[in-house]
Amino acid sequence: MDATTSAALAGLVLRTLAAMFMAFALAYLGYALARRFFGAEGLGVRWSAALLLGLVLSTMGFHAILWIGCFTLIAGLGLSAVALGIAVKLVPLPSLGTALASDLADLSDGLRQYREWQIIPLIAFALAALVTGAKTLLIPPMGWDTLTYHGVKAALWALGAGPITLDTPGGWSIYRLYFGGAEIIPAWVILPFHSDVLVPFVDWGVCMALGLVAYALGRTLGLSSWVSATQAFFLLSIPAMHRSAGLVYAEPAISLAMLGSILFGVLYFRSRNVRALALSVALLGVMAGMKTTAIPMAAVGGIVLVAAVLSSGDLRRSSCVLWL
């Protein structure tokens, strides 16, 4: 092995370790905040909160360093170190294993409640979702929108380390006016390797997160665990989900933010938990920043939440119905 190959291999190993550290720090902080703020809720809600907090935090961190021209791997590692420090303060490392073991025990107890015939449709839908995941590992992100602006913006951010104007010829220049919130996740994925090889798989992960939030919403609305799981797996196995996963379109991320906002809005209506309200509003903001067509939905959601905060009794119940 010559020196050039050895240097390239060492660089790949270091970038892989950096990517793993950044992912671990974000996941740890999201989980720690979810345990702190929603520890009394069910397992589905806590895990959904961890994922959605990760979405919000990654968006905030992106804007914090992009607009000062520091969207680099070093700056990302610095942010991750801060996130890890906060997470360890909230949930110390020795307690993390205990908390995860408790969550897995709760999951195991929940699965034991299913009868044998109830497992069959869940397995069928899960296999369909795994086929979708396999597709994302085999097919590069070749969606039209990805090739024209989603992937272009994410790659230019990762390569340029700062804001971009997207000054392009002809009609292509219209994309500089499009919102870029949906490209933040691909930009973070591209940053460690300066490659989009993992972007489709992470996009599939966004779709899987959508199923988890759908399950948590069903449980919050009073559906049984089996019915909630069935509708979540059905959502993940529909043809539209199979087609869009891995193409890095904005719609899965928008749907995740919207459904997450609905979930924690319902939690606020049920328990008047201010933290649930804050997360719901934050997700509306994330959704509005992803695409212009999401702004009206976010605005309506915000109006309903404001009405719920300022009202009580019958008006609050009416606001809850309108929210759903």
Side-chain angles (χ1 to χ4, degrees):
M1 184 181 296
D2 57 28
T4 303
T5 303
S6 298
L9 182 58
L12 178 61
V13 170
L14 290 175
R15 288 179 178 273
T16 301
L17 292 174
M20 293 172 63
F21 175 75
M22 292 167 64
F24 173 73
L26 180 63
Y28 193 169
L29 181 56
Y31 182 78
L33 290 172
R35 294 284 301 190
R36 173 62 64 91
F37 296 152
F38 305 103
E41 303 294 339
L43 181 63
V45 172
R46 292 200 306 272
W47 284 10
S48 296
L51 289 170
L52 295 168
L53 284 165
L55 176 62
V56 173
L57 292 169
S58 62
T59 301
M60 294 171 60
F62 171 83
H63 288 294
I65 60 177
L66 178 80
W67 295 103
I68 59 174
C70 291
F71 188 63
T72 62
L73 183 56
I74 297 300
L77 288 171
L79 271 181
S80 299
V82 173
L84 185 60
I86 297 173
V88 171
K89 186 69 174 178
L90 293 172
V91 179
L93 276 172
S95 302
L96 178 63
T98 304
L100 289 173
S102 175
D103 286 350
L104 292 176
D106 290 343
L107 178 62
S108 177
D109 292 341
L111 291 175
R112 289 196 189 98
Q113 295 176 5
Y114 294 158
R115 299 175 182 175
E116 292 182 358
W117 66 269
Q118 291 178 319
I119 297 293
I120 296 174
L122 299 183
I123 293 175
F125 289 138
L127 289 175
L130 289 176
V131 170
T132 301
K135 184 200 79 166
T136 65
L137 294 176
L138 299 173
I139 301 176
M142 298 293 288
W144 173 258
D145 289 353
T146 303
L147 295 176
T148 52
Y149 69 100
H150 287 319
V152 174
K153 283 187 175 181
L156 288 177
W157 281 332
L159 295 175
I164 57 173
T165 56
L166 203 64
D167 292 327
T168 48
W172 197 13
S173 62
I174 188 65
Y175 293 123
R176 73 179 186 273
L177 303 176
Y178 284 26
F179 288 5
E183 289 82 57
I184 290 175
I185 298 174
W188 278 117
V189 178
I190 291 172
L191 184 61
F193 303 102
H194 285 185
S195 168
D196 64 355
V197 66
L198 294 178
V199 169
F201 186 69
V202 174
D203 190 59
W204 175 70
V206 171
C207 296
M208 295 300 101
L210 187 60
L212 175 60
V213 175
Y215 169 82
L217 179 58
R219 294 292 289 152
T220 303
L221 292 174
L223 300 179
S224 68
S225 177
W226 182 77
V227 172
S228 299
T230 301
Q231 58 91 18
F233 278 120
F234 175 77
L235 172 65
L236 297 178
S237 62
I238 60 177
M241 188 69 71
H242 177 79
R243 180 180 179 275
S244 64
L247 296 180
V248 201
Y249 285 132
E251 281 69 25
I254 292 174
S255 300
L256 176 62
M258 180 176 64
L259 199 62
S261 181
I262 292 173
L263 167 62
F264 286 94
V266 169
L267 278 178
Y268 172 72
F269 284 114
R270 189 186 70 182
S271 62
R272 307 295 278 186
N273 185 338
V274 177
R275 292 161 178 166
L277 175 65
L279 181 53
S280 181
V281 171
L283 289 167
L284 287 178
V286 169
M287 180 179 71
M290 288 182 176
K291 203 168 186 177
T292 52
T293 52
I295 294 177
M297 295 184 290
V300 171
I303 292 171
V304 174
L305 286 176
V306 169
V309 171
L310 300 178
S311 64
S312 60
D314 293 337
L315 184 56
R316 191 185 353 161
R317 284 190 288 272
S318 300
S319 298
C320 184
V321 173
L322 181 60
W323 178 252
L324 293 173

